[in-house]
Amino acid sequence: MVAERLGWHMLDSGALYRAVGYAASMADIDLTDAEAVTRCAQAAKIRFQPSEDGRDTRVIVNGHDATDEIRTETCGAAASAVAAIPAVREALRDKQLAFRKRPGLVADGRDMGTVIFPDAPFKVFLTASAAERAKRRYKQLKEKGLSVTISGLQREIEARDERDASRPVAPLRPAEGALLVDSTGMPIDAVVAKVIALVQPD
């Protein structure tokens, strides 16, 4: 929504890692095999295309529309595992940098402000409690017809946060000078307004 309001491009870097996790799973690759996962990341054909109904951007992985599959927490856990592999991060770095085009880019991801775009003039560390995020994900996945529980989702989210915060490569942390926005209990419009105000102050 911020990208739409500003007329900027959009990068969902998490979708790239989820797509690699998905591709590796489809190829029955052991996620602890760093070399095999890296080859998968290098070879995977990942593209984004607008949806015909104007909703979720479609994520096409090796010719398959994996938009719904990559949003499951199972795929999120796979993404977290492959993201801890330095060679995978390097393989996806150039793909992410290629999204930076005029008039601007909204880059969403756990290391956007610290590693990929450290020179970005505006940085936001958007967070919410694990319980809040589990409720949001539950609603999102139930709307897609998937069978999930809030308690299970919350456990998976907390485990992923712990893995991402403690990994030696690009750990999850706020970038220096980032605006911290805790969106727990905040409606979407209020979050968008807060971010827009950073970029376009009154």
Side-chain angles (χ1 to χ4, degrees):
M1 290 174 69
V2 170
E4 288 176 0
R5 300 268 183 95
L6 295 172
W8 290 5
H9 301 283
M10 174 71 197
L11 164 61
D12 178 354
S13 72
L16 287 176
Y17 285 96
R18 285 171 177 266
V20 171
Y22 172 82
S25 297
M26 289 300 96
D28 288 325
I29 293 172
D30 181 348
L31 296 183
T32 64
D33 185 339
E35 290 187 4
V37 175
T38 299
R39 287 195 297 271
C40 179
Q42 293 167 336
K45 293 179 173 56
I46 304 166
R47 61 187 175 87
F48 300 95
Q49 68 180 37
S51 62
E52 294 181 0
D53 60 8
R55 298 185 68 188
D56 292 345
T57 296
R58 311 312 294 177
V59 183
I60 313 301
V61 183
N62 294 331
H64 174 73
D65 187 338
T67 307
D68 293 340
E69 289 96 327
I70 68 168
R71 294 305 175 190
T72 64
E73 285 307 310
T74 298
C75 205
S80 184
V82 303
I85 301 171
V88 170
R89 304 193 75 84
E90 190 59 35
L92 296 181
R93 182 184 179 89
D94 288 344
K95 291 183 181 181
Q96 294 174 78
L97 291 174
F99 278 82
R100 181 159 52 186
K101 300 174 183 175
R102 294 185 182 277
L105 173 69
V106 174
D108 169 27
R110 295 189 164 207
D111 66 348
M112 293 298 95
T114 54
V115 177
I116 305 300
F117 300 110
D119 57 341
F122 309 108
K123 299 177 184 179
V124 177
F125 189 79
L126 183 63
T127 188
S129 70
E132 174 89 359
R133 286 153 57 207
K135 285 185 210 172
R136 293 173 183 171
R137 182 69 80 184
Y138 177 82
K139 181 181 177 185
Q140 183 183 38
L141 295 178
K142 290 300 279 187
E143 288 175 351
K144 295 180 184 297
L146 299 174
S147 178
V148 290
T149 65
I150 291 179
S151 60
L153 289 172
Q154 183 169 335
R155 284 193 301 272
E156 290 173 347
I157 287 170
E158 289 170 341
R160 181 183 172 211
D161 284 350
E162 174 61 26
R163 282 195 306 272
D164 289 359
S166 60
R167 69 188 178 207
V169 180
L172 172 63
R173 61 179 172 81
E176 184 176 349
L179 171 69
L180 178 63
V181 178
D182 186 340
S183 66
T184 305
M186 287 178 68
I188 292 173
D189 286 344
V191 177
V192 172
K194 201 155 191 170
V195 177
I196 294 289
L198 173 68
V199 180
Q200 297 179 330
D202 292 334

